[in-house]
Amino acid sequence: MQIPSKIPVHVSFIMDGNGRWAQQRGKERVYGHFEGVESVRAIMEASVEWGIRYASFFAFSEENWDRPEAEVMTLMELMMKSMKKEYKTFMDNGIRLLVLGNRSRLSDKLNATIDEMQELTSSNSVLTMIIFLSYSGKWDIQQAALRMAAEGGDDIGRYLVTAGIPDPDLLIRTSGEERISNFMLWQLAYTEFVFTKTLWPDFRKEEFRLALEEYASRDRRFGKVK
Ligand code: FPP
Protein backbone atom coordinates (compact mmCIF):
# COMPACT_ATOMS: atom_id res chain seq x y z
CA MET A 1 0.00 0.00 0.00
CA GLN A 2 1.19 3.48 -0.85
CA ILE A 3 2.29 5.79 1.98
CA PRO A 4 0.08 8.91 2.19
CA SER A 5 1.76 11.95 0.63
CA LYS A 6 1.12 14.29 3.58
CA ILE A 7 1.02 13.20 7.20
CA PRO A 8 -0.96 15.30 9.70
CA VAL A 9 0.26 15.59 13.29
CA HIS A 10 -3.17 15.03 14.87
CA VAL A 11 -6.06 13.13 13.28
CA SER A 12 -9.40 12.93 15.02
CA PHE A 13 -12.30 10.57 14.37
CA ILE A 14 -16.03 10.69 14.89
CA MET A 15 -16.71 6.97 14.65
CA ASP A 16 -20.25 6.83 13.32
CA GLY A 17 -22.41 4.08 11.87
CA ASN A 18 -21.77 1.12 14.16
CA GLY A 19 -25.47 0.62 14.85
CA ARG A 20 -26.44 0.79 11.17
CA TRP A 21 -23.63 -1.61 10.24
CA ALA A 22 -25.03 -4.19 12.67
CA GLN A 23 -28.65 -3.60 11.67
CA GLN A 24 -27.77 -4.10 7.99
CA ARG A 25 -26.61 -7.57 9.01
CA GLY A 26 -29.68 -8.29 11.10
CA LYS A 27 -27.68 -8.13 14.32
CA GLU A 28 -27.94 -6.16 17.55
CA ARG A 29 -26.34 -2.70 17.56
CA VAL A 30 -23.62 -3.80 19.98
CA TYR A 31 -22.09 -6.07 17.32
CA GLY A 32 -21.32 -2.91 15.41
CA HIS A 33 -19.46 -1.54 18.41
CA PHE A 34 -17.46 -4.78 18.78
CA GLU A 35 -16.45 -4.59 15.13
CA GLY A 36 -15.79 -0.86 15.56
CA VAL A 37 -13.05 -1.63 18.06
CA GLU A 38 -11.27 -3.59 15.30
CA SER A 39 -11.33 -0.43 13.18
CA VAL A 40 -9.82 1.54 16.08
CA ARG A 41 -7.00 -1.01 16.22
CA ALA A 42 -6.43 -0.81 12.44
CA ILE A 43 -6.27 3.00 12.59
CA MET A 44 -3.93 2.88 15.57
CA GLU A 45 -1.53 0.55 13.74
CA ALA A 46 -1.62 2.59 10.53
CA SER A 47 -1.01 5.78 12.55
CA VAL A 48 2.13 4.27 14.09
CA GLU A 49 3.30 3.05 10.68
CA TRP A 50 2.77 6.43 8.99
CA GLY A 51 4.22 8.58 11.77
CA ILE A 52 1.03 10.30 12.94
CA ARG A 53 1.69 11.64 16.46
CA TYR A 54 -1.86 11.98 17.83
CA ALA A 55 -4.95 9.91 16.98
CA SER A 56 -8.12 10.82 18.85
CA PHE A 57 -11.47 9.04 18.92
CA PHE A 58 -14.89 10.32 19.99
CA ALA A 59 -15.97 7.12 21.74
CA PHE A 60 -18.81 8.37 23.94
CA SER A 61 -20.43 11.79 24.18
CA GLU A 62 -22.17 13.38 27.15
CA GLU A 63 -25.37 12.96 25.10
CA ASN A 64 -24.75 9.20 24.64
CA TRP A 65 -25.69 8.66 28.32
CA ASP A 66 -29.30 8.96 27.14
CA ARG A 67 -29.08 5.78 25.02
CA PRO A 68 -30.79 2.61 26.33
CA GLU A 69 -29.11 1.50 29.55
CA ALA A 70 -28.08 -1.87 28.13
CA GLU A 71 -26.19 -0.21 25.27
CA VAL A 72 -24.47 2.25 27.63
CA MET A 73 -23.40 -0.62 29.91
CA THR A 74 -22.08 -2.65 26.97
CA LEU A 75 -20.12 0.32 25.64
CA MET A 76 -18.54 0.99 29.05
CA GLU A 77 -17.63 -2.70 29.41
CA LEU A 78 -16.20 -2.69 25.91
CA MET A 79 -14.11 0.38 26.69
CA MET A 80 -12.69 -1.25 29.80
CA LYS A 81 -11.98 -4.61 28.16
CA SER A 82 -10.43 -3.06 25.05
CA MET A 83 -8.09 -0.88 27.07
CA LYS A 84 -6.83 -3.86 29.05
CA LYS A 85 -6.67 -6.13 26.02
CA GLU A 86 -4.64 -3.65 23.98
CA TYR A 87 -2.05 -3.16 26.72
CA LYS A 88 0.57 -5.18 24.83
CA THR A 89 -0.15 -3.30 21.59
CA PHE A 90 0.37 -0.02 23.46
CA MET A 91 3.68 -1.12 24.96
CA ASP A 92 5.03 -2.87 21.83
CA ASN A 93 4.33 0.18 19.66
CA GLY A 94 5.17 3.01 22.05
CA ILE A 95 1.58 4.21 22.36
CA ARG A 96 0.58 6.53 25.18
CA LEU A 97 -3.09 6.33 26.17
CA LEU A 98 -5.08 9.36 27.30
CA VAL A 99 -8.76 9.35 28.21
CA LEU A 100 -10.39 12.78 28.20
CA GLY A 101 -13.87 13.83 29.25
CA ASN A 102 -16.15 14.21 32.23
CA ARG A 103 -14.58 11.45 34.31
CA SER A 104 -16.92 12.12 37.25
CA ARG A 105 -19.71 10.29 35.40
CA LEU A 106 -17.71 7.08 34.94
CA SER A 107 -17.78 4.16 37.37
CA ASP A 108 -15.02 3.82 39.98
CA LYS A 109 -13.93 0.59 38.33
CA LEU A 110 -13.58 2.17 34.90
CA ASN A 111 -11.82 5.22 36.35
CA ALA A 112 -9.34 2.93 38.12
CA THR A 113 -8.59 1.06 34.87
CA ILE A 114 -8.13 4.35 33.02
CA ASP A 115 -5.74 5.67 35.71
CA GLU A 116 -3.76 2.45 35.58
CA MET A 117 -3.48 2.36 31.78
CA GLN A 118 -2.57 6.03 31.56
CA GLU A 119 0.14 5.55 34.17
CA LEU A 120 1.58 2.39 32.56
CA THR A 121 1.80 4.00 29.12
CA SER A 122 2.83 7.49 30.28
CA SER A 123 6.40 7.34 29.02
CA ASN A 124 5.50 6.01 25.55
CA SER A 125 6.05 8.67 22.92
CA VAL A 126 5.56 7.30 19.39
CA LEU A 127 1.80 7.89 19.20
CA THR A 128 -0.63 9.43 21.67
CA MET A 129 -4.00 7.73 21.44
CA ILE A 130 -6.80 9.82 22.91
CA ILE A 131 -10.18 8.40 23.77
CA PHE A 132 -12.87 10.98 24.39
CA LEU A 133 -15.22 9.46 26.91
CA SER A 134 -18.23 11.24 28.37
CA TYR A 135 -17.01 14.28 26.46
CA SER A 136 -18.75 17.21 24.88
CA GLY A 137 -17.24 20.39 23.48
CA LYS A 138 -19.64 22.68 25.38
CA TRP A 139 -18.88 20.89 28.64
CA ASP A 140 -15.16 21.28 27.97
CA ILE A 141 -15.40 25.03 27.32
CA GLN A 142 -17.58 25.45 30.41
CA GLN A 143 -15.25 23.59 32.76
CA ALA A 144 -12.28 25.46 31.28
CA ALA A 145 -13.98 28.85 31.73
CA LEU A 146 -14.81 28.13 35.36
CA ARG A 147 -11.28 27.04 36.20
CA MET A 148 -9.78 29.93 34.28
CA ALA A 149 -11.96 32.44 36.13
CA ALA A 150 -11.09 30.87 39.48
CA GLU A 151 -7.39 31.19 38.72
CA GLY A 152 -7.62 34.55 36.98
CA GLY A 153 -6.05 33.07 33.83
CA ASP A 154 -6.49 34.37 30.28
CA ASP A 155 -5.61 31.51 27.92
CA ILE A 156 -8.60 29.15 27.65
CA GLY A 157 -6.59 26.54 25.71
CA ARG A 158 -4.57 25.85 28.84
CA TYR A 159 -7.74 24.86 30.74
CA LEU A 160 -9.42 22.66 28.14
CA VAL A 161 -8.96 18.92 28.72
CA THR A 162 -6.75 18.91 25.62
CA ALA A 163 -4.22 21.37 27.13
CA GLY A 164 -0.77 20.67 25.69
CA ILE A 165 -2.14 18.62 22.76
CA PRO A 166 -1.92 20.22 19.29
CA ASP A 167 -5.31 21.01 17.73
CA PRO A 168 -6.46 18.39 15.19
CA ASP A 169 -5.24 18.94 11.63
CA LEU A 170 -7.86 16.59 10.25
CA LEU A 171 -11.25 15.38 11.46
CA ILE A 172 -12.76 12.32 9.80
CA ARG A 173 -16.43 11.47 10.32
CA THR A 174 -17.79 8.23 8.93
CA SER A 175 -21.26 7.05 7.87
CA GLY A 176 -22.33 10.01 5.75
CA GLU A 177 -23.31 12.33 8.62
CA GLU A 178 -21.84 15.80 8.21
CA ARG A 179 -22.05 17.37 11.66
CA ILE A 180 -19.70 18.29 14.50
CA SER A 181 -22.08 16.86 17.17
CA ASN A 182 -20.66 18.81 20.11
CA PHE A 183 -17.14 17.42 19.69
CA MET A 184 -14.06 19.65 20.24
CA LEU A 185 -15.77 22.96 19.47
CA TRP A 186 -12.82 25.17 20.35
CA GLN A 187 -10.02 22.94 19.08
CA LEU A 188 -11.51 22.29 15.62
CA ALA A 189 -11.43 25.98 14.61
CA TYR A 190 -9.01 25.45 11.68
CA THR A 191 -9.27 21.69 11.23
CA GLU A 192 -9.89 20.17 7.80
CA PHE A 193 -12.99 17.94 7.72
CA VAL A 194 -13.30 14.78 5.66
CA PHE A 195 -16.68 13.06 5.55
CA THR A 196 -17.01 9.56 4.19
CA LYS A 197 -20.03 7.36 3.59
CA THR A 198 -18.18 4.29 4.90
CA LEU A 199 -19.64 3.01 8.18
CA TRP A 200 -17.11 2.95 11.04
CA PRO A 201 -16.73 -0.87 11.25
CA ASP A 202 -15.70 -0.83 7.56
CA PHE A 203 -13.28 2.07 8.00
CA ARG A 204 -9.85 0.44 7.92
CA LYS A 205 -6.36 1.22 6.63
CA GLU A 206 -7.22 1.77 2.93
CA GLU A 207 -10.18 4.06 3.76
CA PHE A 208 -7.86 5.97 6.14
CA ARG A 209 -5.24 6.34 3.41
CA LEU A 210 -7.85 7.73 1.01
CA ALA A 211 -8.98 10.28 3.63
CA LEU A 212 -5.34 11.33 4.10
CA GLU A 213 -4.99 11.83 0.34
CA GLU A 214 -8.08 14.04 0.41
CA TYR A 215 -6.45 16.01 3.25
CA ALA A 216 -3.20 16.28 1.24
CA SER A 217 -5.11 18.00 -1.58
CA ARG A 218 -6.45 20.75 0.71
CA ASP A 219 -4.92 24.22 0.84
CA ARG A 220 -4.73 25.25 4.51
CA ARG A 221 -4.50 29.02 4.93
CA PHE A 222 -5.59 29.51 8.57
CA GLY A 223 -7.56 32.62 7.60
CA LYS A 224 -4.53 34.22 5.95
CA VAL A 225 -3.66 34.96 2.32
CA LYS A 226 -0.87 32.85 0.89
C1 FPP B 1 -21.32 5.59 16.82
O1 FPP B 1 -22.11 4.67 16.10
C2 FPP B 1 -20.42 4.89 17.73
C3 FPP B 1 -20.44 5.00 19.09
C4 FPP B 1 -21.38 5.87 19.81
C5 FPP B 1 -19.52 4.21 19.93
C6 FPP B 1 -18.13 4.11 19.42
C7 FPP B 1 -17.31 3.36 20.37
C8 FPP B 1 -16.50 2.33 20.05
C9 FPP B 1 -16.31 1.82 18.67
C10 FPP B 1 -15.70 1.70 21.11
C11 FPP B 1 -14.35 2.32 21.06
C12 FPP B 1 -13.45 1.67 21.99
C13 FPP B 1 -12.23 2.15 22.25
C14 FPP B 1 -11.36 1.40 23.16
C15 FPP B 1 -11.74 3.41 21.64
P1 FPP B 1 -23.68 4.68 16.33
O2 FPP B 1 -24.00 3.68 17.37
O3 FPP B 1 -24.15 6.07 16.61
O4 FPP B 1 -24.16 4.19 14.93
P2 FPP B 1 -25.53 4.58 14.20
O5 FPP B 1 -25.42 6.04 13.89
O6 FPP B 1 -25.49 3.72 12.98
O7 FPP B 1 -26.64 4.25 15.12
Side-chain angles (χ1 to χ4, degrees):
M1 189 185 286
Q2 255 181 299
I3 295 169
S5 46
K6 191 171 161 196
I7 302 295
V9 174
H10 182 174
V11 187
S12 199
F13 298 89
I14 300 183
M15 312 181 277
D16 205 358
N18 292 347
R20 275 164 283 167
W21 186 91
Q23 276 156 359
Q24 282 173 5
R25 285 159 182 77
K27 297 195 174 197
E28 304 246 4
R29 295 173 51 80
V30 293
Y31 284 97
H33 299 318
F34 296 154
E35 202 55 33
V37 175
E38 298 306 314
S39 295
V40 174
R41 182 184 302 110
I43 299 307
M44 201 164 70
E45 285 170 0
S47 299
V48 169
E49 184 183 327
W50 294 334
I52 290 162
R53 301 299 308 281
Y54 297 84
S56 58
F57 301 86
F58 199 8
F60 195 87
S61 70
E62 283 277 76
E63 291 76 18
N64 287 153
W65 288 109
D66 294 330
R67 289 192 176 197
E69 200 182 330
E71 185 175 346
V72 171
M73 296 258 289
T74 307
L75 273 170
M76 291 298 151
E77 274 290 308
L78 187 60
M79 238 56 93
M80 188 138 79
K81 281 199 185 132
S82 308
M83 266 183 251
K84 286 185 182 165
K85 197 168 148 231
E86 296 306 323
Y87 174 66
K88 197 171 173 329
T89 315
F90 295 149
M91 298 318 282
D92 289 351
N93 293 285
I95 301 170
R96 171 171 70 131
L97 179 72
L98 288 181
V99 177
L100 303 179
N102 188 357
R103 297 263 314 260
S104 70
R105 298 186 75 173
L106 307 181
S107 72
D108 290 347
K109 210 168 131 200
L110 181 53
N111 271 321
T113 304
I114 293 169
D115 286 341
E116 189 190 356
M117 295 307 297
Q118 290 191 145
E119 175 63 30
L120 288 169
T121 61
S122 62
S123 35
N124 292 344
S125 57
V126 175
L127 169 72
T128 299
M129 159 147 182
I130 304 162
I131 300 175
F132 284 90
L133 202 49
S134 194
Y135 178 87
S136 85
K138 287 188 179 180
W139 165 83
D140 195 6
I141 292 170
Q142 212 155 21
Q143 67 79 27
L146 288 171
R147 290 196 301 130
M148 186 170 79
E151 288 184 19
D154 58 9
D155 177 3
I156 199 159
R158 286 186 42 224
Y159 295 89
L160 295 167
V161 292
T162 49
I165 296 166
D167 289 342
D169 300 291
L170 170 64
L171 173 84
I172 299 171
R173 182 168 189 157
T174 55
S175 91
E177 309 291 346
E178 303 189 352
R179 291 187 289 278
I180 197 165
S181 296
N182 208 355
F183 196 23
M184 292 184 264
L185 298 178
W186 182 278
Q187 300 89 331
L188 293 169
Y190 282 103
T191 302
E192 294 293 329
F193 289 13
V194 170
F195 299 107
T196 166
K197 290 210 161 28
T198 308
L199 304 178
W200 179 255
D202 290 328
F203 191 87
R204 301 283 163 97
K205 192 175 180 184
E206 176 59 13
E207 288 73 25
F208 188 19
R209 192 187 66 78
L210 291 173
L212 290 175
E213 287 308 334
E214 165 74 31
Y215 167 77
S217 73
R218 304 277 176 88
D219 180 18
R220 299 185 80 194
R221 290 189 299 277
F222 300 94
K224 302 182 181 77
V225 176
K226 263 197 182 153

